[in-house]
Amino acid sequence: MSENLRSQVVTQGVQRSPNRAMLRAVGFRDEDFTKAIVGIANGYSTITPCNMGIDKLAQRAEIGIRNAGGMPQMFGTITISDGISMGTEGMKYSLVSREVIADSIETACTGQSMDGVLAIGGCDKNMPGALIAIARMNIPAIFVYGGTIKPGNYNGRDLTVVSSFEAVGQYSAGKIDENELLEVERHACPGAGSCGGMYTANTMSSAIEAMGMSLPYSSTMAAEDEEKAESTEKSALFLVEAIRKQILPSQIITRKSLENAISVIMAVGGSTNAVLHLLAIAHTAGIELILNDFETIRARVPVLCDLKPSGRYVATDLHKAGGIPQVMKMLLVHNLLHEDCLTITGQTVAEVLADVPEEPSANQDVIRPWNNPLYQQGHLAILRGNLAIEGAVAKITGVKTPKITGPARVFESEEACLDAILAKKIYPGDVIVIRYEGPKGGPGMREMLAPTSAIIGAGLGDSVGLITDGRFSGGTYGMVVGHVAPEAAVGGAIALVEEGDTITIDAHARSLHLHISDEELASRRANWQPRPPRYTTGVLAKYTKLVSSSSLGAVTDLDLF
């Protein structure tokens, strides 16, 4: 039990009675008042398949905490389903939910003087939200991933939720009929769990395992398999032991462990959203991490895993092939991981990986051998130029046209762009600009999965570029550049682009350039006027006032005073 709470319920004589009475009402007995109080931040909801299996995991965590000698105290936190809200006004709340999750976990744990917390989450923002709270509170903690969904199947091919979005583009391009569109939608998501490819949820679960804040192998387990429940109970045991030993998040979440996480994300071909979330976690932990650090690590880490969205396999295939520990061991033996980082198990990274083979099994091709990587360098690149002086983020591996120069096709929202794609008004060579979708301008930095999937479905993925101050789903691939900063809402150069301007996206040079003179750019900037806020009350209005640039992680507690 925390010193704060113990002083209230044990040492204050008659004043302890109200506190003890309240705790007795929720199940405390005399002998429980000296035990550690362990919060279970339960992200269960039926809003999304990502989280609908979490309640059973929370109950297993409760059993594990009791068996280890702690007193579990369960509380709920929220989720927003990116997949369901995608392409709607509701998607503006997705990134906002990361902050709400972090604030709610901090509020419950600190308000109730908890000694530690086990956070369970499934959908994309659950994980960074929990890690931000964990870093902020610095009490012993562990994260439990709700697990990945198993792949759907139709006509002998594996499906994910992204298959459904791409099918819309294929249908609008006349490549499939309405019946096949419906069958893909019916079969894409067969049950509980987060999106099955190396999309944002599985990317962040992998990053958290690499950081040492969750148990080995836990990040790629299927939500519906018994091993996920067993791992959850085991996580509870390790957490109670961490409370006894006072292993704190600040000892685990360090500059070195964040570098380990970035290395793993590069090796597995993870989501662009990881850049945003790791910057935010680092900010909260008081660790200096900048966009250029991702570029430095990208240059030395190969892509080892052949995973969707651009590859062939899903997270359950990666799990069977050895999971994140196998990837980490390969990086470790080639001096691309910090082996001395502490993990929640109490062991170092080197100790955790001691028995993992140095090379993956030869009877699989999900994880490539070191001498035959998918790509020689990482896929997440930081682009800069007069269109993105603070930086922008792109996946650059596997694109067939690494440099595109073409006319700007300017859209003031995601919906306007999608309408143009489906109406066949976008042509090979175009560079689409979607603006006023950034952290402040959206607000909430929506993901552009609908238009990017429609581009792929229409067969334009290799011939059309897209830039935005919004984000991309982990399921996006192609010549697309997101997180353009400064964003349009604060007068960034993306706000000054005019229809027909020439833009170059150059993946190899990692540049994003608007071909107008400095004088013309300055003239346009002088005539630019900020738009009035889209929301003046409620959570989106508060978020607009507080949120920082995406180049800083889109955090809401930067320089508050």
Side-chain angles (χ1 to χ4, degrees), residues 299-464:
R300 64 188 186 222
V301 176
V303 179
L304 297 171
C305 300
D306 187 7
L307 298 168
K308 290 179 182 292
S310 57
R312 293 179 291 165
Y313 296 105
V314 295
T316 51
D317 297 317
L318 174 60
H319 189 63
K320 294 171 188 173
I324 295 304
Q326 179 63 77
V327 176
M328 291 181 70
K329 185 61 174 276
M330 296 169 71
L331 295 172
L332 180 64
V333 297
H334 290 88
N335 300 312
L336 291 171
L337 281 190
H338 300 288
E339 65 176 21
D340 57 341
C341 289
L342 182 66
T343 73
I344 190 60
T345 66
Q347 298 175 297
T348 65
V349 165
E351 290 168 338
V352 168
L353 301 176
D355 296 329
V356 178
E358 293 188 2
E359 283 288 324
S361 169
N363 62 6
Q364 58 81 45
D365 57 357
V366 183
I367 306 173
R368 296 285 193 94
W370 188 263
N371 61 5
N372 185 30
L374 206 62
Y375 304 106
Q376 292 292 336
Q377 292 184 318
H379 63 303
L380 295 182
I382 307 304
L383 277 61
R384 295 184 187 274
N386 67 350
L387 266 175
I389 59 173
E390 290 181 12
V393 183
K395 289 182 182 178
I396 64 171
T397 51
V399 293
K400 294 181 180 178
T401 311
K403 182 177 180 179
I404 292 179
T405 297
R409 302 295 308 280
V410 181
F411 300 94
E412 309 298 319
S413 70
E414 175 187 3
E415 289 88 348
C417 176
L418 181 61
D419 288 345
I421 297 167
L422 296 180
K424 301 180 182 180
K425 295 180 179 179
I426 300 297
Y427 308 104
D430 285 348
V431 178
I432 296 169
V433 178
I434 306 177
R435 63 191 181 192
Y436 291 98
E437 290 283 7
K440 286 184 179 293
M445 208 178 178
R446 288 192 293 180
E447 294 179 349
M448 305 288 116
L449 181 59
T452 57
S453 296
I455 288 169
I456 297 293
L460 296 170
D462 297 323
S463 59
V464 167

Side-chain angles (χ1 to χ4, degrees), residues 272-273 275-276 291 380-384 387-388 390-395 432 434 437-439 445-448 452 465-473 476 478-487 494 505 512 550-551:
T272 53
N273 284 311
V275 177
L276 194 74
L291 282 175
L380 295 182
I382 307 304
L383 277 61
R384 295 184 187 274
L387 266 175
E390 290 181 12
V393 183
K395 289 182 182 178
I432 296 169
I434 306 177
E437 290 283 7
M445 208 178 178
R446 288 192 293 180
E447 294 179 349
M448 305 288 116
T452 57
L466 187 153
I467 70 171
T468 180
D469 49 11
R471 297 182 294 129
F472 296 120
S473 161
T476 293
M479 181 52 86
V480 295
V481 183
H483 307 203
V484 172
E487 63 173 293
I494 191 172
I505 307 171
L512 185 61
S550 59
S551 65

Side-chain angles (χ1 to χ4, degrees), residues 148-171:
T148 184
I149 196 171
K150 294 180 179 179
N153 189 276
Y154 176 64
N155 278 348
R157 61 189 176 103
D158 283 346
L159 301 177
T160 69
V161 66
V162 175
S163 306
S164 187
F165 282 91
E166 291 179 359
V168 173
Q170 293 169 335
Y171 173 71

